[in-house]
Structure formats: structure tokens, C-alpha cells
Amino acid sequence: MIITIDGPAAAGKGTLANNLSQKYNYAYFDTGMVYRAVGLEMHLLGKDLADENAALEIAQNLTFEHMHELAKNPDFRSALGGKNASIVSAYPKVRAALLKMQQDFALNPVFADGRPAQGVIYDGRDTGTVVCPHADVKFFITASPEVRAERRYKEFLQKGIAADYNEVLADVKARDERDANRATAPMKPAEDAIIFDTSTLNIQEVTIKACEVIDEKQKH
Ligand code: DC
């Protein structure tokens, strides 16, 4: 079974994906990692983020092993890392170069320790529309920019990272704008996606509803 979860940053995709991965014992692919890896490698090599060809070359050579190596860098998950990922992800050639790697994961899904899995959960922006348009179940998780900025702001404080709420909010809005308005594979719900708004539902409620949908699908 293939499940996709798309939506903007800090909407709760990762938490829902983790909950579902544990409950159903499915592998999980956080597809934002491929763009974070390219953005971080550009930064580490001192490349100009506007250099699309440099980003393309990095994307063409990216492997799972190297992506997981880069993920150990603190900037992989930082606000800067998210911004850089969003910028390189807008380049159509970079997206095309990273597509097969994402799609192939569903052919042979494995857990982090290499064990094979019976199913896969993707999270990202275009996993239900472009990466796996034939997924069995598609979710789109959203929340207001203010609610998502509040979550990110608290996460930064919990991690001991100094943050300013208004800056986090401006960053969330700028990233939404870039992700939703780029020409290639913009962030949008697939036509057959089930939409949840986590401004009004908490993540436990969303998980319960998502499980109902998956259980129903598995019956058929
Ligand atoms: O989910 P995330 O914050 O790790 O994603 C980082 C950036 O990567 C996001 O701003 C847009 C891009 N992205 C994308 O374009 N398509 C995806 N499927 C996943 C992420």
C-alpha cells in the first residue's frame, strides 16, 4: 500500500506519517530530505543558490547514503536549511533529477535499518500529485500560517534556538508562497486527496480519521 501526505511546512505531516508508519509497520520517506540535501550541499560547497546548473549536478549525483550523511548536519533541519531547500526545489530540472529516486522507493520500501516493509508512507508537497499519482490513499494536511508559525516557534525554543515569532511567521508565509506558486509541481492537494486542517483538529484526531480511511481501503 502507498500512502501520501502532502501539505505546507509545520502542518503536522511528519507526526502523522510517523504515527501511521508505527501503526501499520510501513516504511516512511520524508521527501523534503532530498531538497534539503541539495540545498545544504550547495551551501557547503559555497555555491550561489541562484546557480540552477550547480543544483542540478548535485541532484543528479545524490544517493540515499549521502542524503543521510548530510542529515547529520545541524543546518539540514534549520530555518536556513528549509529556505535553501525551498529555493532549489523550485528548479524544474532539479525536481526531474530527484523524481526517480523518490518513486523507486515504493518499488522496494525499506525501514532505516534495511528491513523490507509491506507499504510506504510519503510526505512532501507533491507526493500525491507527481511522485505517486497512483497512491492508494492520499492526505493533504494544512493549518493556518499563524498556527504553523506558533508550532515552529515553540520547536525552536524547545531546541534552545533563539527565534522571533514574527520572523518565523514571515518565513512560513514566504515558503508557502514559493512552494505553492512555483511553475513545476506546485504544492496543492491531489484531486482525490482527503484534506485535514490541524488548526481545528489535533494530531490524534487526524490520526484516528486517517486510520479509518486506511482501514476501509484495506478491506477492499
Ligand atoms: O517538508 P520540508 O520542510 O522538509 O521541505 C523543504 C522544502 O522542500 C519545501 O519548502 C519545499 C520542498 N519540497 C518539495 O518541493 N517537494 C516535496 N515533495 C517535499 C519538499
Coordinates of all heavy atoms in Angstrom, one line a residue, residues 5-10 13 30-36 76-78 81-90 95 102 122-128 131 152 175-176 178-179 182 184-187, ligand 1:
I5 N 1.2 12.0 2.0 CA 0.7 13.0 2.9 C 1.4 14.3 2.4 O 2.6 14.5 2.6 CB 1.1 12.8 4.4 CG1 0.7 11.4 4.8 CG2 0.6 13.9 5.3 CD1 1.2 11.0 6.2
D6 N 0.7 15.2 1.8 CA 1.2 16.5 1.4 C 0.7 17.6 2.2 O -0.3 17.5 2.9 CB 0.9 16.7 -0.1 CG 1.7 15.7 -1.0 OD1 2.9 15.6 -0.8 OD2 1.1 15.0 -1.8
G7 N 1.4 18.8 2.1 CA 0.9 20.0 2.7 C 2.0 20.9 3.1 O 3.2 20.5 2.9
P8 N 1.7 22.1 3.6 CA 2.8 23.1 3.9 C 3.6 22.7 5.1 O 3.2 21.8 5.9 CB 2.0 24.3 4.2 CG 0.6 23.9 4.6 CD 0.4 22.6 3.9
A9 N 4.7 23.4 5.3 CA 5.6 23.2 6.5 C 4.8 23.3 7.8 O 4.0 24.2 7.9 CB 6.7 24.2 6.4
A10 N 5.2 22.5 8.7 CA 4.7 22.5 10.1 C 3.1 22.3 10.2 O 2.5 22.8 11.2 CB 5.0 23.9 10.8
K13 N 2.5 16.9 9.1 CA 2.7 15.8 8.1 C 3.6 14.7 8.8 O 3.3 13.6 8.7 CB 3.3 16.2 6.8 CG 2.5 17.3 6.0 CD 3.2 17.5 4.7 CE 4.6 18.0 4.7 NZ 4.8 19.4 5.2
D30 N 10.4 10.8 3.9 CA 10.2 12.3 4.1 C 10.9 12.9 2.9 O 12.1 13.1 2.9 CB 10.9 12.7 5.4 CG 11.1 14.2 5.5 OD1 10.6 14.9 4.6 OD2 11.7 14.6 6.5
T31 N 10.1 13.2 1.8 CA 10.7 13.6 0.5 C 11.4 15.0 0.6 O 12.2 15.4 -0.3 CB 9.7 13.6 -0.6 OG1 8.7 14.5 -0.3 CG2 9.2 12.2 -0.8
G32 N 11.0 15.8 1.6 CA 11.7 17.1 1.8 C 13.2 16.9 2.0 O 14.0 17.8 1.7
M33 N 13.6 15.7 2.4 CA 15.0 15.5 2.6 C 15.8 15.6 1.4 O 17.0 16.0 1.4 CB 15.2 14.1 3.2 CG 14.8 14.0 4.7 SD 15.1 12.3 5.3 CE 16.8 12.3 5.6
V34 N 15.3 15.2 0.2 CA 16.1 15.3 -1.0 C 16.4 16.7 -1.4 O 17.5 17.0 -1.8 CB 15.4 14.5 -2.2 CG1 15.2 13.0 -1.9 CG2 14.1 15.1 -2.6
Y35 N 15.4 17.6 -1.1 CA 15.6 19.0 -1.4 C 16.5 19.7 -0.4 O 17.3 20.6 -0.7 CB 14.3 19.8 -1.6 CG 13.5 19.2 -2.7 CD1 12.4 18.3 -2.4 CD2 13.8 19.4 -4.0 CE1 11.7 17.7 -3.5 CE2 13.1 18.8 -5.1 CZ 12.1 17.9 -4.8 OH 11.4 17.3 -5.8
R36 N 16.3 19.3 0.9 CA 17.2 19.8 1.9 C 18.7 19.4 1.7 O 19.6 20.1 1.9 CB 16.8 19.3 3.3 CG 15.5 20.0 3.8 CD 15.1 19.5 5.2 NE 13.8 20.2 5.5 CZ 13.7 21.3 6.3 NH1 14.8 21.8 6.8 NH2 12.6 21.8 6.5
F76 N 20.8 21.0 8.3 CA 19.9 20.2 7.5 C 18.4 20.6 7.9 O 17.6 20.7 7.0 CB 20.1 18.8 7.7 CG 19.4 17.9 6.7 CD1 20.0 17.7 5.4 CD2 18.3 17.2 7.0 CE1 19.3 16.9 4.5 CE2 17.6 16.4 6.1 CZ 18.2 16.2 4.8
R77 N 18.2 20.7 9.2 CA 16.8 20.9 9.7 C 16.5 22.4 10.1 O 15.5 22.7 10.6 CB 16.5 20.0 10.8 CG 16.4 18.6 10.5 CD 15.0 18.2 10.0 NE 15.0 16.9 9.3 CZ 14.1 16.6 8.3 NH1 13.2 17.4 8.0 NH2 14.2 15.4 7.8
S78 N 17.6 23.2 10.0 CA 17.4 24.6 10.5 C 16.5 25.4 9.5 O 16.1 25.0 8.4 CB 18.8 25.3 10.5 OG 19.2 25.6 9.2
G81 N 18.1 25.9 6.3 CA 18.1 24.6 5.6 C 16.7 24.5 4.8 O 16.7 24.1 3.7
G82 N 15.7 24.9 5.5 CA 14.3 24.9 4.9 C 14.2 25.9 3.8 O 13.6 25.6 2.7
K83 N 14.8 27.0 4.0 CA 14.7 28.1 3.0 C 15.5 27.7 1.7 O 15.0 27.8 0.6 CB 15.2 29.4 3.6 CG 15.1 30.6 2.6 CD 15.6 31.8 3.3 CE 15.7 32.9 2.2 NZ 16.6 34.0 2.6
N84 N 16.7 27.2 2.0 CA 17.5 26.8 0.8 C 16.9 25.6 0.0 O 16.9 25.6 -1.2 CB 18.9 26.3 1.3 CG 19.7 27.5 1.8 OD1 19.3 28.6 1.7 ND2 20.9 27.2 2.4
A85 N 16.3 24.7 0.8 CA 15.6 23.6 0.1 C 14.4 24.1 -0.7 O 14.2 23.6 -1.9 CB 15.0 22.6 1.2
S86 N 13.7 25.0 -0.2 CA 12.6 25.6 -0.9 C 13.0 26.3 -2.2 O 12.4 26.2 -3.3 CB 11.8 26.6 0.0 OG 10.8 27.3 -0.7
I87 N 14.2 27.0 -2.1 CA 14.7 27.7 -3.3 C 15.1 26.6 -4.4 O 14.7 26.7 -5.6 CB 15.9 28.6 -3.0 CG1 15.3 29.8 -2.1 CG2 16.6 29.1 -4.2 CD1 16.4 30.6 -1.5
V88 N 15.9 25.6 -4.0 CA 16.4 24.7 -5.1 C 15.2 23.8 -5.6 O 15.3 23.4 -6.7 CB 17.6 23.8 -4.6 CG1 18.8 24.7 -4.3 CG2 17.2 22.9 -3.4
S89 N 14.2 23.6 -4.7 CA 13.1 22.8 -5.2 C 12.2 23.4 -6.2 O 11.4 22.8 -6.9 CB 12.2 22.4 -4.0 OG 11.4 23.5 -3.6
A90 N 12.4 24.7 -6.5 CA 11.7 25.4 -7.5 C 12.2 25.2 -8.9 O 11.6 25.6 -9.9 CB 11.6 26.9 -7.2
R95 N 14.0 19.1 -9.8 CA 12.9 18.2 -9.4 C 12.9 16.9 -10.3 O 12.7 15.8 -9.8 CB 11.5 18.9 -9.6 CG 11.4 20.2 -8.7 CD 9.9 20.6 -8.7 NE 9.2 19.7 -7.8 CZ 9.1 19.8 -6.5 NH1 9.7 20.7 -5.9 NH2 8.4 18.9 -5.8
Q102 N 12.8 9.2 -5.7 CA 11.6 9.1 -4.8 C 10.7 8.0 -5.2 O 10.1 7.3 -4.4 CB 10.9 10.5 -4.8 CG 11.8 11.6 -4.3 CD 11.1 13.0 -4.5 OE1 10.2 13.3 -3.8 NE2 11.5 13.7 -5.5
Y122 N 4.7 8.4 2.1 CA 5.5 9.5 1.6 C 4.9 10.8 2.3 O 3.7 10.9 2.5 CB 5.2 9.7 0.1 CG 6.0 8.7 -0.8 CD1 5.4 7.5 -1.2 CD2 7.2 9.1 -1.3 CE1 6.1 6.7 -2.0 CE2 7.9 8.2 -2.1 CZ 7.3 7.0 -2.5 OH 8.0 6.2 -3.3
D123 N 5.9 11.7 2.6 CA 5.4 13.0 3.0 C 6.1 14.1 2.2 O 7.3 13.9 1.9 CB 5.4 13.2 4.5 CG 6.3 14.2 5.1 OD1 6.8 15.1 4.5 OD2 6.6 14.0 6.4
G124 N 5.4 15.2 1.8 CA 6.1 16.2 1.0 C 5.1 17.2 0.5 O 4.2 17.6 1.3
R125 N 5.3 17.7 -0.7 CA 4.4 18.7 -1.3 C 3.7 18.2 -2.5 O 2.6 18.7 -2.8 CB 5.2 20.0 -1.7 CG 6.1 20.6 -0.6 CD 5.2 21.3 0.4 NE 6.0 22.0 1.4 CZ 6.8 21.4 2.4 NH1 6.8 20.1 2.5 NH2 7.5 22.2 3.2
D126 N 4.3 17.3 -3.2 CA 3.8 16.8 -4.5 C 3.7 15.3 -4.5 O 3.8 14.7 -5.6 CB 4.6 17.3 -5.7 CG 6.1 16.8 -5.6 OD1 6.5 16.3 -4.6 OD2 6.7 16.8 -6.7
T127 N 3.7 14.6 -3.4 CA 3.8 13.1 -3.5 C 2.5 12.5 -4.0 O 2.6 11.5 -4.6 CB 4.3 12.5 -2.1 OG1 3.2 12.8 -1.1 CG2 5.6 13.1 -1.6
G128 N 1.4 13.1 -3.7 CA 0.1 12.6 -4.2 C -0.2 13.0 -5.6 O -1.0 12.4 -6.3
V131 N 4.8 12.5 -7.5 CA 5.7 11.3 -7.2 C 4.9 10.0 -7.3 O 5.3 9.1 -7.9 CB 6.3 11.5 -5.8 CG1 7.2 10.3 -5.4 CG2 7.1 12.8 -5.7
R152 N 6.3 26.1 15.0 CA 7.7 26.2 14.6 C 8.5 27.0 15.7 O 9.6 26.6 16.1 CB 7.9 26.8 13.2 CG 7.9 25.9 12.1 CD 9.2 25.1 12.0 NE 8.9 23.6 11.8 CZ 8.9 23.1 10.5 NH1 9.1 23.8 9.5 NH2 8.6 21.8 10.4
R175 N 7.7 30.8 2.5 CA 7.9 29.4 2.0 C 6.6 28.9 1.3 O 6.7 28.3 0.3 CB 8.3 28.5 3.1 CG 9.0 27.3 2.7 CD 10.3 27.1 3.3 NE 10.3 26.5 4.7 CZ 10.2 25.2 4.9 NH1 10.1 24.4 4.0 NH2 10.3 24.8 6.2
D176 N 5.5 29.2 1.9 CA 4.2 28.8 1.3 C 4.0 29.4 -0.1 O 3.6 28.7 -1.0 CB 3.0 29.3 2.1 CG 2.8 28.5 3.4 OD1 3.5 27.6 3.7 OD2 1.8 28.9 4.2
R178 N 6.4 30.4 -2.1 CA 7.3 29.8 -3.1 C 6.8 28.4 -3.5 O 6.8 28.0 -4.6 CB 8.7 29.8 -2.5 CG 9.8 30.3 -3.3 CD 11.2 30.2 -2.8 NE 11.3 29.9 -1.4 CZ 11.7 30.7 -0.4 NH1 11.9 31.9 -0.7 NH2 11.8 30.2 0.8
D179 N 6.5 27.6 -2.5 CA 6.1 26.2 -2.7 C 4.8 26.1 -3.5 O 4.6 25.2 -4.3 CB 6.0 25.4 -1.4 CG 7.3 25.3 -0.7 OD1 8.4 25.6 -1.3 OD2 7.3 24.9 0.5
R182 N 5.3 27.9 -7.5 CA 6.3 27.6 -8.5 C 5.6 26.9 -9.7 O 4.5 26.3 -9.6 CB 7.4 26.7 -7.9 CG 6.9 25.4 -7.5 CD 7.9 24.5 -6.9 NE 7.3 23.3 -6.4 CZ 7.5 22.7 -5.2 NH1 8.3 23.3 -4.3 NH2 6.8 21.6 -4.9
T184 N 6.6 24.3 -11.6 CA 6.6 22.8 -11.7 C 6.2 22.2 -10.3 O 6.7 22.6 -9.3 CB 8.0 22.4 -12.0 OG1 8.5 23.1 -13.1 CG2 8.1 20.9 -12.3
A185 N 5.3 21.3 -10.4 CA 4.8 20.5 -9.2 C 4.5 21.4 -8.0 O 5.1 21.2 -6.9 CB 5.8 19.5 -8.9
P186 N 3.7 22.5 -8.2 CA 3.4 23.3 -7.0 C 2.6 22.5 -6.0 O 2.0 21.5 -6.2 CB 2.5 24.4 -7.6 CG 1.9 23.8 -8.8 CD 2.9 22.8 -9.4
M187 N 2.8 23.0 -4.7 CA 2.1 22.3 -3.6 C 0.6 22.5 -3.8 O 0.1 23.6 -3.8 CB 2.6 22.9 -2.3 CG 1.8 22.5 -1.1 SD 2.4 23.2 0.4 CE 1.9 24.9 0.2
Ligands
DC1 O1 9.0 19.3 4.2 P1 10.3 20.1 4.3 O2 10.1 21.4 5.1 O3 11.4 19.3 4.8 O4 10.6 20.6 2.8 C1 11.6 21.5 2.5 C2 11.3 22.1 1.1 O5 11.5 21.2 0.1 C3 10.0 22.7 1.0 O6 9.9 24.1 1.3 C4 9.6 22.5 -0.5 C5 10.5 21.4 -0.9 N1 9.7 20.1 -1.1 C6 9.1 20.0 -2.4 O7 9.2 20.9 -3.2 N2 8.5 18.8 -2.7 C7 8.4 17.8 -1.8 N3 7.8 16.7 -2.1 C8 9.0 18.0 -0.5 C9 9.6 19.2 -0.2

